[in-house]
């Protein structure tokens, strides 16, 4: 199934990022673009693995649909997009380590901002009512990473963890499917 769907799962993220990357004026360096494509392709495969896992663990489509959202929501919330990395209480902090959102987001942010030494603040307009706020213009990529509590050293670890999540979810899905087929032959589903 994976091989039959591979062209679609490779081409769609590639087309999406090829169009949007330059339209939103991300780092124009070709190497940064190619790394972004690689991260998004790995992310796509990881998310597909999650879909395989849920579908192989569940007995029917309605069950799979009712389980997938409650599982994915905490991963999404604690992945760093909505809650700042490091701001979650310790007793809930472990959830982020299971989240592909965290690893892909951190890797993409590091890829975009590492090595950027000058961010122009001339285009930033702060409304008059908010001029007394604590908002500030971040002047370098390092400041952006510090603001998000990301470390450049985590880049390869993030890529590695995306690959680990991909492989582990596919293995668990395979063994769940194997158990299902054995049960079917034995007649005690």
């Amino acid at each position: 199934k994976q091989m039959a769907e591979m062209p679609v799962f490779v081409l769609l993220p590639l087309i999406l990022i090829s169009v949007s990357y330059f339209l939103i004026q991300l780092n124009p360096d070709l190497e940064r673009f190619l790394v972004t494509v690689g991260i998004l392709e790995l992310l796509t495969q990881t998310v597909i693995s999650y879909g395989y896992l849920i579908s192989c663990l569940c007995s029917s489509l309605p069950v799979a649909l009712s389980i997938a959202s409650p599982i994915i929501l905490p991963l999404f919330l604690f992945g760093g997009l909505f809650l700042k990395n490091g701001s979650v209480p310790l007793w809930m902090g472990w959830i982020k380590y299971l989240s592909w959102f965290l690893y892909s987001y951190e890797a993409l942010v590091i890829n975009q901002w590492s090595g950027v030494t000058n961010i122009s603040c001339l285009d930033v307009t702060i409304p008059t009512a908010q001029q007394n706020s604590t908002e500030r213009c971040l002047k370098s990529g390092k400041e952006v990473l510090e603001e998000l509590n990301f470390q450049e050293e985590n880049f390869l670890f993030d890529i590695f963890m995306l690959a680990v999540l991909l492989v582990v979810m596919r293995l668990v899905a395979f063994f769940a499917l194997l158990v299902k087929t054995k049960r079917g032959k034995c007649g005690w589903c």
Side-chain angles (χ1 to χ4, degrees), residues 21 26-29 31-33 35-36 39 105-119 139-146 148 150-156 158:
Y21 189 89
L26 292 176
N27 196 324
D29 186 20
E31 181 183 343
R32 300 286 178 114
F33 170 72
V35 170
T36 299
I39 292 169
Y105 180 50
E106 184 174 30
L108 288 168
V109 169
I110 291 170
N111 182 54
Q112 172 66 28
W113 293 109
S114 66
V116 174
T117 56
N118 185 19
I119 300 174
K139 300 200 186 276
S140 71
K142 185 173 181 157
E143 287 183 25
V144 173
L145 294 174
E146 287 172 0
L148 295 171
F150 291 155
Q151 287 81 34
E152 285 186 57
E153 302 81 42
N154 288 353
F155 182 75
L156 290 178
D158 293 331

Side-chain angles (χ1 to χ4, degrees), residues 96-109:
K96 72 178 179 180
Y97 297 111
L98 301 174
S99 174
W100 54 85
F101 296 106
L102 170 69
Y103 301 119
S104 58
Y105 180 50
E106 184 174 30
L108 288 168
V109 169

